[in-house]
Amino acid sequence: MPKLIPNIENRVRKLPKPATYSQALQPLFEAVSNALYAIEDRSALGATMAGDVRISITNLTDAGKFRVEIADNGIGLDADRYEAFQTIDTDFKRARGGKGVGRLFWLDAFERIHVESLFNEEGGIKRRCFAFTLRNDEQIVEEDLPNGYVGRQEVGTTIICEGLRGTSYQKAFPKQKATFLRYFSAHFIADFLVGNGASVEVNLDGEPTKYPEAVADLVIGRDLETGDFDISDYGTFSVKGFACDKEASTGLDGNHQLHLLANGRTVESRKVDGLIGLSTIAAGERDDLYFHGCVSSEYLDERVNEGRTAFNLPEDILKEISRKCVEQVRETALADQMVSYNATRRSNYDEFVSRHPIYGFDDPDVQLSRVPFSAQTPEEFATGLVKYQIRRDEERQSTMENVIELLAKGDSVPESFAERLQTAVREVQSSEQLALAQHVVRRKLVLDLMGKLLTRVRERADKQDDFHLEQTLHSFIVPMHVAGHDAAEKRSRAHDLWILDERLAFTRAFSSDKRFDALLKDSENAERSDLIVWDFASGLGVVDPLRDGERVDTSKPLEKVMIVEFKKPGRKHYGPEDQIHFQITKYIDELRGGEIEGFERQRIRIAQDCVFYCYVVADIEGDLKRQLSTWSKSANGQGRFMPLQGDVNGSIEVIQWQDLVNDAWARNEATLYAAKLQRGRPG
């Protein structure tokens, strides 16, 4: 009668070839799993022996001479198990997740395989020996013990595999002892953590490592169980958790681990640091431990691949299962430890929103649910929330556009229009309030810091080696050595010139501490002015051509320019060469009639009759007070003012540092009040 004839060589050739350490070790892991199952079977029949598996490996670094011997004291290859061994795709171990193909991986991985087994049968203990060979006929060749070989003396099975077959296994198999032990421990960690009653010894070229002692010694806490819980669409799960010494995660990706099991064996371990949130967990008197959780479920048992190397599930489902399992761990096994973590996380979030109000656009609990559970820093909160902020802005924009479109059509306005309009207005107002709060928080911080910085600089006023503090103050207002209009300038052009004048808040037409010969065409003057500005809202002559996307007419010369000089707060000594009037007029003489190379390399002429608005920010005391004694007082009576005469048009005003800060506070008073912020105390 015709029948299907199996082609074993072709079947083995089609097995997936290893690309990683874990995959290359899988045939060996299969043999060890069989040994553990055999011990469980013997114990189930009433045997009282202590389960024992001995794994001896020699020549780990030499693929041709590699040899592994796996010996157990399990039930042995009795008639039923021997028949199952001879049957491809047997369902003998189906209840445990066995696919009946594990020994095919042996044929794929090893050149030579020898099996010896002692088992109980009617009439006493029987021995069975055979070679297992990759070929289409007679893969199992029964044989006697070699001459001089004593063989096993007790019930159980010994499997000897020699020589790594094929370049894939030869390249992917680990060559270092430490690497081998890390992967071996990771693969069987669930067995060793949960405990299956068997002891395992791995002897690598004469160096033994005993399990579960090697892993059990790392377990500090064992009472982190969730009990059974349901995950929608996937059935019932349970997690048995352990608090382990950090060494238990050596060689694994991440610290906290979730081990997904199939039929009691680890299929894959997943890093869950971000899902746990806690950097470490506590158990007993220690708080520097990592969580290891073993996940069991019929759903996973039924969906493991035939080599038990992976689950036949999409990654998004495995991620969802992992997330739900860790959520259950947080709510049960780690509930007490999460109380403190959640309080700290909420406090960090509240502080983040107080400093960055634009992210406070929804209920705090809702916002926290939108970011990774491990998020605690401003960067992590912002990264998680920015996409929701963009969606919110887009929805608000669409709402406004729809209202505008409805009005523009000229059709009859529906009764619901008023409600739609009110909704759109409320959304705009809410957005404006958040944007205003963000703006004000930053300005308050800048002004508070400015006050502290002024105080510190004044405290060091007499220290000649503290010139860097004066530079710091200058750079705080506007970066030094920068031409704001220069597109080739790589340094930051961000500034806080609004402290001087609100109209300068967004200007890029400025030069800060740049040499005149770098600013003006044909200039050979190496001197520097602290700040020169030739564009702000009142129209000092030029509009930034990039601002409105329009090229402007630069043929007309500049008629207004601002010059600012910063003097160190607390400075009292000004020599004859430090005359304010003389310094400013030197700068004006250099600028009048010159050409600034402006935006897009366009040259901007400065008119001979240009009006120069010149400001000196200083503390009027000591020599400077005497120098300015003949100048007119400013409107508040604290500053000094002098018009420029003769060939120069303009004026010089000396402003006290504290007045500069006070005026900035006054200009922002309304917005500060609206945001319920108060001025910080002087430093």
Side-chain angles (χ1 to χ4, degrees):
M1 183 175 182
K3 63 178 180 179
L4 296 176
I5 300 174
N7 186 324
I8 299 302
E9 290 187 55
N10 190 47
R11 176 71 185 277
V12 170
R13 185 169 55 251
K14 290 182 177 180
L15 290 174
K17 299 303 181 275
T20 65
Y21 288 149
S22 179
Q23 293 169 355
L25 286 166
Q26 193 59 38
L28 189 151
F29 292 161
E30 284 289 335
V32 175
S33 293
N34 287 344
L36 295 172
Y37 284 139
I39 291 170
E40 292 174 2
D41 286 348
R42 188 177 178 191
S43 298
L45 294 177
T48 58
M49 84 297 174
D52 185 62
V53 180
R54 293 285 181 266
I55 305 165
S56 178
I57 297 175
T58 55
N59 297 315
L60 183 64
T61 60
D62 190 330
K65 296 180 179 179
F66 173 85
R67 183 182 188 277
V68 57
E69 179 177 315
I70 303 166
D72 66 68
N73 62 345
I75 198 167
L77 282 173
D78 57 19
D80 291 338
R81 287 165 179 78
Y82 188 45
E83 181 182 356
F85 188 94
Q86 298 175 76
T87 306
I88 299 300
D89 297 317
T90 178
D91 60 359
F92 186 77
K93 296 178 183 176
R94 183 176 180 182
R96 294 168 171 168
K99 305 297 182 179
V101 296
R103 60 206 177 284
L104 295 185
F105 281 94
W106 302 355
L107 293 174
D108 193 34
F110 304 112
E111 293 283 358
R112 298 171 297 281
I113 304 166
H114 178 82
V115 180
E116 179 192 1
S117 184
L118 266 63
F119 54 93
N120 284 302
E121 197 171 80
E122 291 183 10
I125 296 177
K126 300 294 179 65
R127 185 186 304 274
R128 179 171 279 124
C129 297
F130 59 88
F132 189 38
T133 307
L134 177 58
R135 55 191 180 190
N136 282 331
D137 298 318
E138 297 185 18
Q139 298 88 13
I140 299 172
V141 181
E142 295 187 355
E143 55 190 13
D144 295 327
L145 291 175
N147 291 332
Y149 181 69
V150 177
R152 293 189 59 91
Q153 300 299 303
E154 62 177 351
V155 171
T157 301
T158 299
I159 301 171
I160 299 174
C161 302
E162 296 178 302
L164 291 173
R165 181 192 297 276
T167 56
S168 295
Y169 280 98
Q170 291 171 6
K171 290 181 178 179
F173 208 87
K175 305 297 189 295
Q176 301 297 320
K177 295 177 182 179
T179 304
F180 179 93
L181 289 174
R182 281 201 302 270
Y183 280 85
F184 183 87
S185 299
H187 185 82
F188 290 103
I189 192 170
D191 300 270
F192 301 139
L193 288 175
V194 177
N196 62 7
S199 63
V200 177
E201 180 179 287
V202 178
N203 191 304
L204 284 166
D205 288 324
E207 298 180 12
T209 301
K210 293 185 177 181
Y211 296 90
E213 291 86 349
V215 170
D217 289 347
L218 303 176
V219 179
I220 311 302
R222 297 178 174 270
D223 56 347
L224 302 177
E225 298 187 26
T226 62
D228 291 343
F229 59 93
D230 291 331
I231 299 179
S232 179
D233 298 328
Y234 309 125
T236 302
F237 287 73
S238 66
V239 181
K240 189 170 185 179
F242 304 86
C244 299
D245 188 274
K246 294 181 178 180
E247 189 178 336
S249 297
T250 300
L252 298 174
D253 178 24
N255 300 327
H256 302 301
Q257 300 291 324
L258 203 63
H259 307 287
L260 303 182
L261 313 185
N263 307 104
R265 297 282 180 260
T266 304
V267 176
E268 66 173 77
S269 297
R270 289 185 163 240
K271 168 186 173 181
V272 290
D273 296 13
L275 296 174
I276 291 288
L278 298 167
S279 58
T280 58
I281 64 172
E285 297 181 355
R286 293 183 57 178
D287 59 0
D288 60 344
L289 307 173
Y290 293 153
F291 176 83
H292 282 255
C294 301
V295 180
S296 299
S297 165
E298 288 186 9
Y299 183 84
L300 295 178
D301 293 345
E302 296 169 355
R303 289 164 176 80
V304 66
N305 68 6
E306 64 178 11
R308 277 178 284 178
T309 58
F311 292 104
N312 296 320
L313 289 169
E315 176 62 17
D316 60 335
I317 291 180
L318 290 172
K319 282 185 176 181
E320 182 180 0
I321 288 173
S322 299
R323 180 173 57 82
K324 292 292 186 180
C325 286
V326 175
E327 286 178 359
Q328 193 69 21
V329 168
R330 295 200 311 253
E331 294 172 6
T332 56
L334 298 178
D336 292 341
Q337 300 186 49
M338 286 295 157
V339 172
S340 175
Y341 175 81
N342 286 329
T344 301
R345 184 168 180 258
R346 175 59 181 268
S347 176
N348 291 344
Y349 171 78
D350 290 342
E351 174 66 17
F352 162 71
V353 172
S354 72
R355 299 173 70 89
H356 305 279
I358 58 171
Y359 292 100
F361 54 82
D362 214 330
D363 179 80
D365 292 333
V366 172
Q367 295 292 72
L368 283 172
S369 71
R370 289 169 169 167
V371 300
F373 189 73
S374 59
Q376 290 208 65
T377 67
E379 293 83 0
E380 291 167 341
F381 288 135
T383 299
L385 292 174
V386 67
K387 64 180 180 182
Y388 296 98
Q389 181 189 21
I390 292 173
R391 290 175 190 171
R392 176 177 174 273
D393 291 344
E394 288 293 327
E395 290 172 359
R396 185 180 62 251
Q397 183 79 5
S398 295
T399 300
M400 291 298 295
E401 289 173 352
N402 290 338
V403 171
I404 293 171
E405 182 180 358
L406 182 62
L407 291 173
K409 284 181 177 179
D411 298 335
S412 60
V413 178
E415 294 182 2
S416 62
F417 175 77
E419 182 178 349
R420 291 170 62 180
L421 181 60
Q422 290 175 0
T423 299
V425 169
R426 283 195 300 269
E427 290 176 350
V428 170
Q429 290 174 339
S430 174
S431 176
E432 289 177 344
Q433 289 171 352
L434 291 174
L436 176 63
Q438 182 78 10
H439 169 77
V440 172
V441 164
R442 186 188 179 281
R443 286 208 165 185
K444 178 184 182 300
L445 184 64
V446 168
L447 293 175
D448 281 342
L449 184 54
M450 183 82 174
K452 301 284 186 183
L453 188 57
L454 283 173
T455 299
R456 177 55 60 91
V457 174
R458 288 194 187 100
E459 289 174 351
R460 307 284 295 176
D462 295 329
K463 305 297 188 294
Q464 297 302 314
D465 60 344
D466 274 356
F467 178 68
H468 68 278
L469 287 177
E470 184 178 354
Q471 290 182 318
T472 300
L473 191 58
H474 180 152
S475 299
F476 182 76
I477 298 174
V478 60
M480 298 179 68
H481 318 304
V482 169
H485 65 283
D486 188 352
E489 182 65 65
K490 294 182 179 180
R491 287 166 292 192
S492 172
R493 294 190 296 266
H495 59 73
D496 285 299
L497 287 174
W498 57 269
I499 296 174
L500 300 174
D501 191 315
E502 287 292 340
R503 295 168 294 180
L504 302 179
F506 300 105
T507 186
R508 287 195 295 137
F510 69 87
S511 170
S512 173
D513 198 48
K514 293 281 283 187
R515 290 165 45 142
F516 284 111
D517 56 9
L519 176 68
L520 301 175
K521 178 180 178 266
D522 299 331
S523 174
E524 297 180 356
N525 192 337
E527 288 191 90
R528 307 170 185 264
S529 172
D530 284 347
L531 178 64
I532 299 172
V533 183
W534 57 91
D535 166 36
F536 66 147
S538 62
L540 286 183
V542 174
V543 176
D544 177 354
L546 304 181
R547 180 179 300 160
D548 300 316
E550 298 178 357
R551 182 179 299 275
V552 299
D553 181 10
T554 57
S555 60
K556 297 180 179 179
L558 282 171
E559 297 179 350
K560 299 177 183 178
V561 168
M562 172 188 282
I563 299 175
V564 182
E565 281 295 303
F566 301 109
K567 302 300 181 182
K568 184 177 179 180
R571 177 180 174 180
K572 297 179 180 178
H573 304 294
Y574 290 80
E577 71 282 2
D578 297 321
Q579 296 292 314
I580 296 295
H581 180 269
F582 177 71
Q583 180 183 13
I584 295 297
T585 52
K586 274 201 311 179
Y587 293 163
I588 292 175
D589 288 343
E590 188 68 27
L591 290 168
R592 278 196 312 160
E595 287 187 348
I596 297 174
E597 189 171 69
F599 298 101
E600 296 183 334
R601 304 299 182 187
Q602 299 178 69
R603 288 174 178 165
I604 308 168
R605 293 185 299 113
I606 303 174
Q608 283 289 344
D609 58 351
C610 177
V611 179
F612 291 91
Y613 299 89
C614 308
Y615 300 92
V616 178
V617 186
D619 284 343
I620 302 177
E621 52 186 355
D623 294 336
L624 184 60
K625 186 175 183 179
R626 287 187 288 274
Q627 184 185 137
L628 303 178
S629 60
T630 60
W631 290 32
S632 301
K633 288 186 177 182
S634 58
N636 66 0
Q638 301 299 314
R640 298 293 186 269
F641 176 86
M642 184 184 76
L644 294 171
Q645 298 177 347
D647 294 335
V648 181
N649 297 325
S651 61
I652 304 175
E653 183 175 355
V654 181
I655 303 170
Q656 300 242 47
W657 276 107
Q658 197 57 53
D659 289 336
L660 182 72
V661 175
N662 290 341
D663 288 346
W665 276 109
R667 292 195 304 271
N668 288 272
E669 183 176 6
T671 50
L672 287 167
Y673 178 80
K676 298 181 180 179
L677 296 174
Q678 296 180 346
R679 179 175 181 176
R681 293 182 179 180

